[in-house]
Amino acid sequence: NTFLDLGVDHTVFGGQTMNPSTQDIINGVEQTPARVVYVLPNHKNIYLVACQAAEMVKEKKVVVLNTKSVPQGISAMIAYNPDADEATNTEAMTEAIGAVRTAQTTYAVRDTSIEGIKINSGETLALVDGKIVCSDSDEKKCLAAIGEAFKDASYLTVFYGESVDEARAEAAVEILKEKINSMAEFAVIAGGQPIYDFIVSAE
């Protein structure tokens, strides 16, 4: 809904356990009423599939931007200007993508060790730009680790997942605020996403 509100013509549904196929993306491109179509993969695993789809479309110019997360995709859309030419938009959207950092919390599904961090099944994991920064049974500690990583950010958006209620989301924001500069602005959105209880975008 957020992407549609920002002017996206077509969305292809996917996610951590259901990556879209090349044909899914081709279908999305073909259903978009434009001569130049921008594709925002919004996940590192979908980028190469999107590039492959772009090469197979002959009737339109397809530009694939390397958005690795939903927040990066949103920032790219905010930077998009329907009155600008392709080169100008590509430059502006790429610059916007580079300014965004993304954090996520989820749960460990098994005992393991990654980059020296011991992880126990069932613990909350915090990832910042794809790297694990915390694994703990206390979600608050992982949220604090995200706040510490984003302490110099000036604008943050918190998307809370399908298993999180509004009160828990508000409590999470308060934990983040304790670590982040007092002038930072926050936006809180009911993202409804599975797997990741919180996705935090920082600029």
Side-chain angles (χ1 to χ4, degrees), residues 41-52 64-67:
N42 298 339
H43 196 287
K44 63 180 182 180
N45 292 346
I46 302 173
Y47 176 70
L48 293 179
V49 175
C51 289
Q52 185 178 32
V64 181
L65 298 177
N66 194 8
T67 51

Side-chain angles (χ1 to χ4, degrees), residues 33-75:
R35 289 180 291 105
V36 178
V37 179
Y38 291 89
V39 178
L40 308 173
N42 298 339
H43 196 287
K44 63 180 182 180
N45 292 346
I46 302 173
Y47 176 70
L48 293 179
V49 175
C51 289
Q52 185 178 32
E55 293 175 358
M56 297 173 69
V57 174
K58 304 304 180 184
E59 300 80 14
K60 300 172 183 282
K61 172 66 179 294
V62 182
V63 180
V64 181
L65 298 177
N66 194 8
T67 51
K68 297 183 174 71
S69 66
V70 167
Q72 286 187 341
I74 290 172
S75 290

